[in-house]
Amino acid sequence: MRVADLPAMPELRLALLADGGPGGLDREVRWVYTTDLLEPAAFLSGGELVLTSEGWYRTEADCETFAASLAQGGAAALVAGDILLGEVPPALVAACRRHRIPVLAAPADISYSTLSRTVIDRINHERGRELADVLGRHRRLVTALVEGADLGGLVAMLATELDTPCWALSPAGRLLAGPAHALPAVTRTRLAAHALHAERLPATIDGRTLLPIGRRSAGGGLLVVHGTPDDTTTAEQTAELLALGGARRDERRRTEQQFHAQLVELLDQQAPAAAVTARLRTTGLATDRPLLVLTTLTRGALRSWDLAADLAESALDEDPDIRTVIAGSESGLTILASLGTHLDDTHLARLLRDRLTQFEPVADGGRIAFGLSASPDPAGLSRALEESRHAARLAALRPHRLALVTAGELDSHLLLLAGVPAEIRGSYRHRLLGPLHAYDTEHGTDLVHTLTVFLEANGAWRTAATELHIHVSTLHYRIGRIEQLTGRDLSTARDRVDLYLACTISDH
């Protein structure tokens, strides 16, 4: 019940003395607490209708102390009697106004036990009615799930029950159910990233309520409700039911992944194009369109979310004509797709990098490396698969927790580096650049960056100096110091190549 309902109950005959300011009469009354303590805050849990006969009153200053304590404890409203003083002290009403506490006066001929019992009976009656409504909704949702309702059906039922738009999203913000036009892709991605980073759910962001679908650690996804619903219980129960439906969907996906793994095996075996084409058709991939291969390598805590495939699919979903299949396991997935008319591999790489940038801040404790390649037809798919694997291994060397490398970025020396064991690469970098790192640390300089810019400018002094925002003579001095520390001669191609390779190796 609300505070506004109290003066409307004729059996109580309560008179409203102060409304508590904007929204004061709309506060929910959750229980009744009777007290004559001057500072009752420690005994309040929030939402109580506090009854007092002013036994705590000694001076007008006590009214300020009492009202402040009610506000601190989250009291919904105060009912004051005139048993001891003959009236409700004006100072108490004024203090409650300052602290935004509604005040009602009780007549002298009604006992607080009667008043308390009447209000509690009303609260329990309304709670019973609300519980019956919740159970009715829950039964309808469970019945729909048992009868085979899909994710979209359950979300649509929830939207009808709450009379507000609702959506189901994957952990990476991919739309699973709900009106797409009302929740753009950029908003979905931002909400999903916020949910991954939030300490607890439910949470509210941008005027939308976020609830976890199933256990957060299992990466069940996200239920989004527009606004802040009065009936959060129904939304939470729906989220639990969506998790059950999601479990069925995940089981189907695991079965499909095992089937699709056979296609990857064919590609690894360099099977004839006719055999590859036939298997592509059984998976539903179009063989007359460009084919894309995305290899993902995951490590650490992110693996439990299966975020790698989810991020890729969220980018691929930008093309309504695309068809995607996933093969492999959590530690190494292969995603194959036949591209539609609205998306090519360059556009896809840009979309995927945008998503990786948004999720990078919340990727603590894990890494995902993506390698992307494409083939115009089934005959080149084996080569594209191998390229994507090389690109993924190279992406894993980069300092970012979420990184993407495309086949177009691969050149000879990067391919060689990707195939060298990590400890050998680290040793090579340290042997060549270790003296520069040590000097930079001791003197607060940036010789490693200077060397990288100089080599990427192909030894062009003026170009490198402009990039570094320094004078050419200063650059000559720095390069001289680099040659002295490394024992290398940057006027020779051999030493330039050695140092350039060292600079391209990540120090992470």
Side-chain angles (χ1 to χ4, degrees), residues 187-461:
T187 303
R188 298 196 300 266
T189 305
R190 185 175 67 254
L191 293 176
H194 177 86
L196 282 174
H197 194 58
E199 291 185 3
R200 62 175 60 88
L201 293 177
T204 302
I205 178 176
D206 296 342
R208 300 176 180 92
T209 302
L210 314 181
L211 302 99
I213 296 177
R215 293 181 297 109
R216 292 184 67 189
S217 59
L222 193 64
L223 177 62
V224 181
V225 178
H226 183 74
T228 304
D230 296 329
D231 183 9
T232 56
T233 302
T234 296
E236 290 171 353
Q237 290 176 339
T238 303
E240 293 175 1
L241 294 175
L242 293 178
L244 294 176
R248 296 190 307 199
R249 185 180 65 254
D250 291 342
E251 184 61 34
R252 289 195 301 269
R253 286 189 63 167
R254 281 190 289 269
T255 303
E256 290 174 355
Q257 284 188 21
Q258 294 173 358
F259 174 74
H260 299 325
Q262 298 172 10
L263 172 58
V264 177
E265 291 176 4
L266 281 177
L267 298 175
D268 282 333
Q269 296 166 4
Q270 302 286 325
V276 173
T277 300
R279 181 51 64 91
L280 286 171
R281 287 173 178 158
T282 63
T283 63
L285 292 175
T287 58
D288 58 346
R289 294 180 178 180
L291 297 165
L292 178 140
V293 185
L294 189 66
T295 294
T296 73
L297 302 175
T298 64
R299 189 176 75 229
L302 288 175
R303 186 181 304 172
S304 62
W305 286 92
D306 195 11
L307 194 56
D310 198 15
L311 283 166
E313 287 188 286
S314 69
L316 290 166
D317 277 351
E318 294 291 327
D319 188 334
D321 298 327
I322 206 165
R323 163 69 180 171
T324 305
V325 300
I326 301 176
S329 63
E330 289 183 346
S331 60
L333 298 175
T334 301
I335 301 171
L336 299 153
S338 53
L339 297 178
T341 57
H342 307 288
L343 189 67
D344 57 27
D345 56 325
T346 302
H347 186 199
L348 174 62
R350 185 172 68 254
L351 290 173
L352 187 52
R353 282 197 171 100
D354 287 343
R355 281 158 176 75
L356 300 188
T357 299
Q358 289 180 289
F359 277 88
E360 174 80 14
V362 297
D364 297 332
R367 296 171 64 88
I368 304 178
F370 293 87
L372 177 65
S373 185
S375 172
D377 51 50
L381 205 51
S382 292
R383 174 195 53 78
L385 174 61
E386 190 61 27
E387 285 182 349
S388 73
R389 288 170 174 167
H390 280 299
R393 286 194 290 269
L394 180 58
L397 304 180
R398 295 194 168 177
H400 303 291
R401 290 185 290 266
L402 304 177
L404 167 68
V405 170
T406 67
E409 298 174 72
L410 295 176
D411 58 33
S412 57
H413 78 273
L414 293 178
L415 279 171
L416 288 173
L417 287 177
V420 175
E423 60 273 13
I424 296 178
R425 291 193 305 269
S427 176
Y428 181 83
R429 176 183 172 89
H430 178 73
R431 188 168 67 253
L432 271 70
L433 302 183
L436 300 185
H437 279 294
Y439 186 89
D440 284 343
T441 301
E442 182 178 353
H443 297 87
T445 56
D446 201 3
L447 294 183
V448 174
H449 178 61
T450 298
L451 174 61
T452 302
V453 172
F454 178 74
L455 293 173
E456 288 181 346
N458 199 28
W461 294 92

Side-chain angles (χ1 to χ4, degrees), residues 11-67:
E11 66 270 36
L12 298 182
R13 292 180 285 126
L14 298 176
L16 183 65
L17 303 181
D19 61 10
L25 298 180
D26 291 327
R27 293 177 188 169
E28 181 184 0
V29 177
R30 298 174 181 168
W31 203 244
V32 179
Y33 176 69
T34 303
T35 184
D36 276 326
L37 296 174
L38 178 61
E39 298 184 69
F43 301 93
L44 301 177
S45 58
E48 289 90 353
L49 175 66
V50 177
L51 311 182
T52 184
S53 59
E54 298 99 21
W56 45 266
Y57 183 90
R58 296 294 179 270
T59 68
E60 288 190 356
D62 291 338
C63 295
E64 177 67 24
T65 303
F66 182 74

Side-chain angles (χ1 to χ4, degrees), residues 12 51 83 106-117:
L12 298 182
L51 311 182
I83 298 173
D109 61 346
I110 186 170
S111 70
Y112 274 9
S113 61
T114 299
L115 195 155
S116 177
R117 184 173 60 253

Side-chain angles (χ1 to χ4, degrees), residues 77-152:
L78 172 68
V79 172
D82 55 7
I83 298 173
L84 297 179
L85 304 179
E87 66 172 352
V88 178
L92 175 59
V93 178
C96 286
R97 280 199 180 99
R98 286 193 295 274
H99 290 279
R100 303 173 65 85
I101 301 293
V103 182
L104 300 104
D109 61 346
I110 186 170
S111 70
Y112 274 9
S113 61
T114 299
L115 195 155
S116 177
R117 184 173 60 253
T118 302
V119 173
I120 290 174
D121 286 347
R122 171 75 174 266
I123 291 172
N124 287 334
H125 175 73
E126 291 189 359
R127 284 178 179 169
R129 189 172 58 202
E130 291 172 359
L131 179 60
D133 290 342
V134 168
L135 290 174
R137 293 177 186 138
H138 188 67
R139 280 195 295 270
R140 288 194 295 273
L141 290 168
V142 171
T143 300
L145 180 65
V146 171
E147 292 177 350
D150 60 7
L151 203 64

